[in-house]
Amino acid sequence: MNRHIENEAAVPEDDGVSDRRLSTRVRRGELLNENCPSRDFLRHLTSRWGVLVLIALLEKEHRFSELRRKVGGVSEKMLAQTLQTLEADGIVNRVSHPVVPPHVDYSLTPIGRDAALKVRDLADWIELNVDRFVDARNDSHLTA
Amino acid sequence: MNRHIENEAAVPEDDGVSDRRLSTRVRRGELLNENCPSRDFLRHLTSRWGVLVLIALLEKEHRFSELRRKVGGVSEKMLAQTLQTLEADGIVNRVSHPVVPPHVDYSLTPIGRDAALKVRDLADWIELNVDRFVDARNDSHLTA
DNA sequence: TGTGTGTACTAACTAAAGGAAAGTTTGGGA
DNA sequence: TCCCAAACTTTCCTTTAGTTAGTACACACA
């Protein structure tokens, strides 16, 4: 059965498959539409470990185990998975030097750097305002 | 209370439990540290549905089912959970009118609005650059 | 009178994701 | 000889996300 909630407002005649007309289909605010392709990139860029990896890579390129040590709390599995996702998105570069022991360098692509700067802006703002957040959280508990 | 950010690099002796000395423990860039309290807010603000809820609430306050319809793809359970988390963080206000059928309004708190603006900046930038992202993703597949 | 609708949830359950720890491969050092 | 290091992968278990069904109450329609 058709469980999808159709958006009666838009998409007059679209088969939902045409990737070439993205620029005409997707306009600002389209993120709220379930099928918006930006959602994937947003999800990857704002993923739990993705954010932290991007911030680390802004400073300089890193090796895998360097990132592992730098990004506190990340497991090897999740770091590998996060890096693979970001690489597939064209956000990070992976350069493997075929030596023993292995040596792999991760760095940001041009668009990856732009995106990482945006992500870091948000992260920095949160850190600078963390006290306001803590206060707001406490207030909400008192009110509740 | 001195909440200023310390520049000191070390903090050599810390039991990891003292919440009162956060201001001395946490400095800019501390997000990469596993215990940084900003991480929770970052996680909540950048959560899959949190981002979209914040963007929707920037436009105007919404009722629960209004959000449900607006944020495409969200389930009632996840919407409720997301809203509860954001409320507990002091990011959204919940106002329940005791009528039948139920009527509950969700809106942004002051800090929630500030945060939502930052989040929307990032989201807008991604939407505006989605074509670049798609190209970068395709390139990475060709290279790989 | 009965059936159906809308609202804001919660409970129960299943599928998916996350996380801890061990295994893999290859060469070099103690 | 045994162990280690790097960059993963695999296994196993826990946590989270998602789906479905259900609730209370009022109103609309037939």
Side-chain angles (χ1 to χ4, degrees), chain B residues 29-100:
Chain B
E30 200 62 15
L31 259 177
L32 295 176
N33 184 313
E34 190 170 0
N35 302 319
C36 180
S38 304
R39 275 203 185 179
D40 290 329
F41 297 109
L42 179 66
R43 245 198 5 266
H44 299 165
L45 289 172
T46 62
S47 69
R48 177 163 187 193
W49 304 114
V51 171
L52 304 178
V53 165
L54 293 177
I55 289 172
L57 289 182
L58 266 179
E59 191 201 323
K60 65 176 183 66
E61 91 177 10
H62 283 73
R63 298 180 60 169
F64 183 88
S65 52
E66 237 177 338
L67 279 174
R68 169 106 169 80
R69 284 186 292 267
K70 190 154 196 171
V71 178
V74 70
S75 67
E76 298 195 344
K77 178 191 163 186
M78 288 314 296
L79 180 56
Q81 201 174 104
T82 300
L83 287 168
Q84 282 162 11
T85 301
L86 294 176
E87 193 200 352
D89 281 345
I91 291 168
V92 308
N93 285 316
R94 177 184 183 277
V95 178
S96 170
H97 306 282
V99 295
V100 169

Side-chain angles (χ1 to χ4, degrees), chain B residues 105-135:
Chain B
D105 287 317
Y106 290 95
S107 59
L108 293 167
T109 63
I111 194 175
R113 179 173 315 279
D114 290 347
L117 287 169
K118 293 281 173 186
V119 168
R120 192 175 63 180
D121 276 352
L122 174 62
D124 281 352
W125 182 83
I126 293 172
E127 281 202 275
L128 288 173
N129 288 273
V130 68
D131 294 336
R132 272 177 80 199
F133 275 107
V134 171
D135 291 345

Side-chain angles (χ1 to χ4, degrees), chain A:
Chain A
M1 292 304 161
N2 180 7
R3 292 251 169 70
H4 282 114
I5 298 171
E6 292 295 337
N7 186 347
E8 62 274 19
V11 195
E13 298 183 14
D14 190 297
D15 57 355
V17 191
S18 60
D19 284 344
R20 287 170 300 185
R21 297 200 304 120
L22 282 181
S23 57
T24 59
R25 280 179 58 225
V26 179
R27 50 193 190 286
R28 200 165 164 292
E30 201 64 13
L31 259 177
L32 296 176
N33 185 313
E34 188 170 2
N35 302 320
C36 180
S38 304
R39 276 204 186 178
D40 290 329
F41 297 109
L42 179 66
R43 242 196 10 262
H44 299 164
L45 290 171
T46 61
S47 69
R48 175 160 189 195
W49 302 115
V51 171
L52 303 178
V53 165
L54 292 176
I55 290 172
L57 289 182
L58 266 178
E59 190 200 325
K60 65 175 184 67
E61 89 176 13
H62 283 73
R63 299 179 59 169
F64 183 88
S65 53
E66 237 176 337
L67 278 174
R68 168 107 170 79
R69 283 186 293 267
K70 191 154 195 169
V71 178
V74 70
S75 68
E76 297 195 345
K77 177 187 165 187
M78 288 315 296
L79 180 56
Q81 200 173 106
T82 300
L83 287 169
Q84 283 162 9
T85 301
L86 294 177
E87 193 200 353
D89 281 345
I91 291 167
V92 308
N93 284 316
R94 176 183 184 277
V95 178
S96 171
H97 306 281
V99 295
V100 169
H103 185 142
V104 181
D105 286 317
Y106 290 96
S107 59
L108 293 168
T109 62
I111 195 175
R113 180 174 318 279
D114 291 347
L117 287 170
K118 292 283 174 183
V119 168
R120 192 174 63 179
D121 276 352
L122 174 62
D124 282 352
W125 182 83
I126 293 173
E127 280 201 278
L128 289 172
N129 288 274
V130 67
D131 295 335
R132 271 177 80 198
F133 275 108
V134 171
D135 291 345
R137 184 166 58 185
N138 291 338
D139 288 351
S140 86
H141 289 325
L142 292 176
T143 311

Side-chain angles (χ1 to χ4, degrees), chain B residues 14-25:
Chain B
D14 190 294
D15 58 8
V17 191
S18 58
D19 283 344
R20 286 170 299 184
R21 297 200 305 119
L22 281 181
S23 57
T24 60
R25 285 175 53 223

